[in-house]
Amino acid sequence: MPHDFMPGLAGIPAAKSAVSDVDGERGVLEYRGIRVEELCKRSSFLETTYLLLFGRLPDEATLNKWQQDIIHHRRVKYSIIDLMKCLPEQGHPMDALQAAVAALGMYYPGRNVQDFDNNYWSAVRLVAKLPTIVAAWARLRRGDDAIPPRDELGFSDNFFYMLTETIPPPVWADIFDDCLILHAEHTMNASTFTGLVTASTLADPYTVVASSIGALKGPLHGGANEEVVQMLKDIGSADQARHYVEEQVRKKKKLMGFGHRVYKVKDPRATILQNLCDTLFKTCGTSPLYSIALAVEQAAGETLHGKAVYPNVDFYSGIIYDKMGIDTDLFTPIFAMARVSGWLAHWLEQLRENKLFRPDQIYAGEHNRPYVPVDQRR
Ligand code: COA
């Protein structure tokens, strides 16, 4: 049966899902029907994770159990740390994360993905351990010891503690928690789809998440937040922003942190993140990158007028992390720490009615070519 070919599968539904929804015309993002603005105001990252995975807000006892389960599984086996010590320290943290997550799967019996109990504990382990791995790698590559988690600390506090050996001011932890909420899920995107393709073979969840991490790494997806900060540093000052934007557009180059396949207005996450920048800067002074970002946004609005290209989630998040002193190449691993909940929510959903992904192709090559012996080839 002939089909229209849609490059990038643009507009082709790959699943039926109740995990999240984007209204790209109105700039609305909902997780399980609840708007992200509401979740940032009233929820926590771990509660949001539960909501995504299991479809409902947990009651108090369930939330407490979920949080305790996560706390009890934050530690990683010493041999995972040893494995990371063997990786080249100049390697990208996303590669280290992908390798460590794939290795995790060798330690935990999660092969029977039809077993709900197994899947619950796999989800707990993955949500709990990713921050420990990210923080450990950030220290090991500098020759420092990894810092084990502290049970009395919340999710975001504990991540900062494992990274820096200090507990951040409460407002930082709240802002970071909101950043994680905003990165936790985003419908059918490249990394979620990658994970679902892997999951459709009934591979274990560690392999599913490792494959999603690989897809998230690229600069057209999660990797854009690193490039945004680099771009803002290269621009150097707000008065250079217009010239930079005009040059990029003239050379038909993309502005990093702008544009989205679905949003035709400003990404609601970018708006919230911009507000979080303002809150953060009240506690510790502004960032020179912020005024450049505002100037870039204004220049882009005027230069790309009519193309519906606006800031996306990656545009302001990096400025927050940069101000918090986090290395630029950890931005995408932090994205993964959050997005693992979305990946796993789609994985659990798909398992209820799994079908192996096996798309078609339109063959555009030749037929019946003769085999030419090597000494006769030109
Ligand atoms: N900067 C400048 N122009 C952009 C742009 C950007 N970031 N994103 C899209 N456009 C323009 C394109 O040049 C194109 O213009 P044209 O119609 O004159 O050729 C038009 O908008 C449509 O772009 P297209 O690349 O077809 O849209 P897409 O849906 O395939 O791309 C992205 C979506 C995210 C891949 C793209 O916007 C992009 O590469 N952005 C930068 C990377 C990024 O921030 N990624 C994170 C996404 S959350």
Side-chain angles (χ1 to χ4, degrees):
M1 201 199 313
H3 296 283
D4 286 337
F5 171 54
M6 298 302 291
L9 297 183
I12 309 282
K16 277 189 178 174
S17 177
V19 179
S20 68
D21 187 43
V22 171
D23 180 336
E25 302 292 333
R26 293 192 302 135
V28 175
L29 170 60
E30 293 172 328
Y31 296 167
R32 300 287 186 182
I34 303 177
R35 285 178 76 140
V36 284
E37 289 84 351
E38 184 84 345
L39 291 167
C40 284
K41 230 181 269 162
R42 305 178 61 179
S43 184
S44 64
F45 172 65
L46 277 187
E47 184 183 63
T48 298
T49 294
Y50 187 95
L51 169 74
L52 287 167
L53 286 165
F54 305 111
R56 59 183 188 282
L57 287 170
D59 60 28
E60 204 176 339
T62 311
L63 178 60
N64 286 338
K65 179 179 182 312
W66 174 244
Q67 287 168 338
Q68 285 309 314
D69 287 345
I70 299 286
I71 286 171
H72 288 141
H73 287 85
R74 279 173 180 166
R75 279 174 178 69
V76 293
K77 292 188 185 292
Y78 75 86
S79 47
I80 293 286
I81 301 285
D82 285 354
L83 177 135
M84 284 195 282
K85 284 182 188 161
C86 299
L87 301 174
E89 63 260 23
Q90 71 281 7
H92 195 282
M94 279 299 269
D95 294 332
L97 180 64
Q98 189 182 35
V101 168
L104 276 184
M106 300 172 78
Y107 290 95
Y108 301 105
R111 303 274 158 206
N112 180 6
V113 293
Q114 306 298 352
D115 178 334
F116 176 83
D117 234 37
N118 246 336
N119 291 347
Y120 175 86
W121 290 111
S122 299
V124 165
R125 287 196 187 96
L126 281 158
V127 172
K129 291 184 198 302
L130 257 67
T132 314
I133 293 170
V134 173
W137 174 254
R139 297 182 63 83
L140 292 171
R141 66 173 170 174
R142 288 199 302 259
D144 295 329
D145 274 336
I147 299 176
R150 264 177 45 186
D151 286 0
E152 77 280 15
L153 296 179
F155 194 88
S156 294
D157 286 330
N158 180 60
F159 175 66
F160 271 96
Y161 171 71
M162 293 188 298
L163 197 61
T164 63
E165 219 172 350
T166 55
I167 298 170
V171 65
W172 282 33
D174 290 347
I175 291 170
F176 193 76
D177 219 59
D178 281 351
C179 291
L180 296 179
I181 290 175
L182 293 172
H183 286 87
E185 159 62 9
H186 206 246
T187 71
M188 191 54 64
N189 50 74
S191 57
T192 301
F193 182 53
T194 302
L196 289 182
V197 173
T198 307
S200 78
T201 68
L202 301 185
D204 68 89
Y206 302 93
T207 306
V208 169
V209 170
S211 61
S212 290
I213 290 171
L216 185 68
K217 186 184 166 193
L220 295 188
H221 192 9
N225 55 13
E226 275 185 46
E227 306 224 356
V228 168
V229 166
Q230 196 48 54
M231 173 182 85
L232 297 176
K233 286 182 177 163
D234 289 347
I235 294 172
S237 67
D239 56 9
Q240 292 299 314
R242 177 167 300 278
H243 174 70
Y244 178 86
V245 169
E246 286 172 358
E247 277 301 288
Q248 290 293 103
V249 172
R250 191 180 60 77
K251 292 184 200 152
K252 295 199 177 306
K253 286 195 175 162
K254 295 271 169 69
L255 293 171
M256 283 296 141
F258 277 79
H260 201 277
R261 183 65 61 77
V262 184
Y263 291 115
K264 299 301 162 223
V265 293
K266 187 166 172 177
D267 184 331
R269 300 167 298 174
T271 305
I272 302 171
L273 286 161
Q274 200 174 344
N275 292 335
L276 291 175
C277 284
D278 292 331
T279 312
L280 177 66
F281 299 155
K282 275 188 202 133
T283 72
C284 53
T286 190
S287 155
L289 299 182
Y290 189 54
S291 53
I292 304 172
L294 293 176
V296 169
E297 182 176 349
Q298 191 179 349
E302 289 159 12
T303 315
L304 294 167
H305 187 68
K307 282 199 187 172
V309 174
Y310 300 95
N312 59 45
V313 68
D314 293 312
F315 194 57
Y316 288 105
S317 56
I319 298 173
I320 293 177
Y321 300 149
D322 183 73
K323 186 68 190 175
M324 290 177 169
I326 298 174
D327 293 343
T328 310
D329 62 0
L330 296 180
F331 296 174
T332 318
I334 290 171
F335 191 159
M337 271 161 46
R339 185 55 63 85
V340 69
S341 42
W343 293 330
L344 292 169
H346 285 273
W347 166 66
L348 289 175
E349 184 178 60
Q350 180 174 284
L351 283 177
R352 289 204 288 271
E353 238 173 299
N354 188 58
K355 187 166 170 68
L356 178 71
F357 272 102
R358 203 319 183 177
D360 208 347
Q361 64 164 14
I362 295 169
Y363 179 64
E366 300 172 43
H367 288 288
N368 297 322
R369 292 174 73 196
Y371 178 85
V372 182
V374 68
D375 57 345
Q376 294 167 35
R377 289 175 208 161
R378 296 160 50 102

